[in-house]
Amino acid sequence: MMDDAKALQLARDAYTGSTDYFNANIRRAIEDDLRQFQSRHAPDSKYNSDAYRTRSRLYRPKTRSVIRKNEAQAAEAFFSTVDVVNVEPQDEQDELQQASAEIQKALLQYRLTKTIPWFQIVLGAYQDAQAVGVVVSHQGWLWNEKRKLDTPTIDLLPIENFRFDPAASWLDPVGTSPYLIRLIPMYVHDVKQKMVAGRWRKLSDQQLLAATTKYDSTRLLREDNRTDSRDKITAITDFTTVWVHQVIMRVDDEDVIYYTLGEQYLLTSPEPLVEHYAHGRRPFVVGSCVIETHKPYPSGVSRLTRNTQVEINELANMRVDNVKFAMNKRYFVARNKQVDIRSLTRNVPGSVTLLNNPETDVKVIDT
């Protein structure tokens, strides 16, 4: 087992390398996908320039409409029957296998209808896969004796809060990456509770403050450009959000797991993965709805329809502008002539516009 200093250095190197690649090659495309899903023009679009400030800037939500229709089809496929899962024995003649299948089905049926919000998870995962191309989930178990919680959990992770090696196989990024890093926003009182319980190393408030800085433009875009809910602050309270990294690292063909506070401090020493997850497997799944060979970050519906969406917006806005020009004429007015320009621009039905010479002072431009 590697020592703590090496573990922290490996975690820092893995996070820095994967984040640099993500920022340089992936983040811009994902943010453009999210804008398209939210029916917002790209930041470099001409509709965001001053020249188009008074022009039509409509965004026809065709991409959102397509994804919504696909979600409806997925909901029908997954939830058209009362049973959300079907379990059958491999050998139907074996009574023991039949009994086991019935028990497994009953357990899964209970969990997926009572303790796990399966409908939201399925459609949320499908939405992520279509909108940004990749969906990531974490499978775990929540146990809290005081709150009487003892249940499996499935958490959908924003793609910006998960790191794997960009050279991993496109067929199985989770299994082939030498490391996995999950960025977890946690309240300070939850972190301190683990420290008091002896599960994590004790750190000072000043050290915790260093882990509050995690500005993320993608998260800000998801929150509709509001003030970042997890942006840096200047003081530590129980409800301050700090960033904890869950690191799974492959060392000598064995997976170890440990936690760090940001990239600065080690919270736990590396331990075999099997001590935290009884099955001994990496508890993450990365999926997509579009197969693109040799790309660990495949495209989604938003990216594949981007040019078509731009063309639809262009035609719609030109048509609206043309109608406005046809209904509200443009005028050429001779300079320094006594023309009631306010009356012209108001274009009120039944109004009177005073001119000295209607033949030469004003020229109406037909569209």
Side-chain angles (χ1 to χ4, degrees):
M1 192 70 65
M2 59 182 171
D3 57 28
D4 291 349
K6 184 177 180 181
L8 183 60
Q9 185 61 45
L10 285 176
R12 184 181 294 118
D13 293 343
Y15 176 76
T16 301
S18 58
T19 300
D20 289 344
Y21 177 87
F22 185 84
N23 291 340
N25 301 281
I26 307 300
R27 188 180 295 277
R28 173 65 185 274
I30 288 178
E31 291 180 356
D32 287 344
D33 292 341
L34 286 173
R35 285 190 179 91
Q36 187 170 330
F37 176 70
Q38 297 170 355
S39 298
R40 299 165 61 184
H41 294 290
D44 57 351
S45 172
K46 64 181 181 181
Y47 295 110
N48 292 327
S49 64
D50 290 338
Y52 280 77
R53 185 166 55 88
T54 58
R55 298 279 295 273
S56 176
R57 297 184 293 177
L58 298 176
Y59 196 110
R60 289 198 168 181
K62 294 299 182 181
T63 301
R64 186 67 173 257
S65 177
V66 170
I67 293 178
R68 289 285 292 170
K69 289 180 180 179
N70 292 342
E71 289 176 11
Q73 294 176 356
E76 183 180 4
F78 278 92
F79 303 97
S80 58
T81 62
V82 176
D83 294 334
V84 297
V85 65
N86 185 34
V87 181
E88 296 180 352
Q90 290 184 346
D91 185 1
E92 296 182 355
Q93 304 300 324
D94 191 333
E95 295 182 357
L96 184 61
Q97 290 190 21
Q98 287 183 350
S100 177
E102 292 177 0
I103 294 174
Q104 293 291 339
K105 180 179 179 179
L107 291 174
L108 288 172
Q109 183 75 15
Y110 174 81
R111 289 300 186 184
L112 296 179
T113 56
K114 301 297 183 181
T115 63
I116 297 176
W118 188 234
F119 181 82
Q120 294 92 322
I121 289 173
V122 169
L123 294 190
Y126 195 48
Q127 184 182 105
D128 270 355
Q130 292 186 99
V132 300
V134 179
V135 56
V136 182
S137 68
H138 171 265
Q139 287 64 238
W141 196 279
L142 177 61
W143 181 82
N144 189 307
E145 186 176 4
K146 292 183 178 180
R147 297 169 59 189
K148 297 181 180 179
L149 296 175
D150 186 12
T151 176
T153 60
I154 302 175
D155 299 318
L156 296 182
L157 309 181
I159 185 60
E160 66 270 15
N161 287 353
F162 186 72
R163 298 287 187 272
F164 59 85
D165 189 75
S169 171
W170 66 280
L171 292 171
D172 183 16
V174 171
T176 58
S177 176
Y179 59 84
L180 299 174
I181 302 176
R182 175 190 178 191
L183 280 62
I184 309 174
M186 294 184 64
Y187 291 118
V188 166
H189 70 82
D190 291 332
V191 175
K192 288 184 176 180
Q193 186 177 9
K194 292 181 180 293
M195 293 178 180
V196 172
R199 298 173 58 186
W200 287 359
R201 299 179 181 179
K202 292 185 178 181
L203 298 175
S204 65
D205 285 354
Q206 192 64 29
Q207 291 172 320
L208 291 174
L209 184 63
T212 60
T213 305
K214 192 68 69 175
Y215 171 80
D216 193 292
S217 59
T218 308
R219 181 175 64 251
L220 188 64
L221 181 61
R222 287 183 189 275
E223 297 178 359
D224 202 18
N225 283 343
R226 301 183 179 92
T227 302
D228 194 343
S229 60
R230 299 183 176 94
D231 201 359
K232 178 177 174 59
I233 58 170
T234 57
I236 286 291
T237 67
D238 282 351
F239 305 109
T240 300
T241 300
V242 295
W243 289 90
V244 174
H245 292 187
Q246 182 188 41
V247 183
I248 297 178
M249 192 76 62
R250 182 176 298 141
V251 180
D252 297 331
D253 287 335
E254 180 186 14
D255 283 337
V256 297
I257 184 172
Y258 53 99
Y259 292 84
T260 67
L261 185 68
E263 308 101 75
Q264 293 85 8
Y265 305 100
L266 201 66
L267 290 172
T268 65
S269 298
E271 298 176 340
L273 183 64
V274 70
E275 294 186 9
H276 290 254
Y277 298 90
H279 47 67
R281 300 176 182 177
R282 296 181 173 189
F284 299 99
V285 174
V286 174
S288 63
C289 65
V290 177
I291 295 178
E292 284 190 316
T293 57
H294 314 300
K295 291 179 66 176
Y297 291 95
S299 304
V301 173
S302 295
R303 203 170 309 171
L304 296 177
T305 60
R306 182 169 300 162
N307 291 335
T308 303
Q309 178 69 73
V310 171
E311 189 69 16
I312 290 172
N313 294 337
E314 182 73 10
L315 293 175
N317 285 307
M318 285 195 299
R319 186 178 295 113
V320 171
D321 281 339
N322 189 73
V323 171
K324 290 180 179 179
F325 279 127
M327 302 299 294
N328 299 276
K329 304 295 184 181
R330 183 176 176 84
Y331 303 96
F332 287 170
V333 180
R335 185 179 286 112
N336 298 327
K337 299 294 184 178
Q338 294 181 349
V339 178
D340 191 351
I341 296 178
R342 294 183 63 185
S343 177
L344 283 176
T345 55
R346 284 176 183 171
N347 200 17
V348 178
S351 64
V352 176
T353 302
L354 300 178
L355 305 173
N356 287 338
N357 191 344
E359 300 296 331
T360 59
D361 289 353
V362 176
K363 181 180 179 181
V364 180
I365 306 300
D366 291 325
T367 300

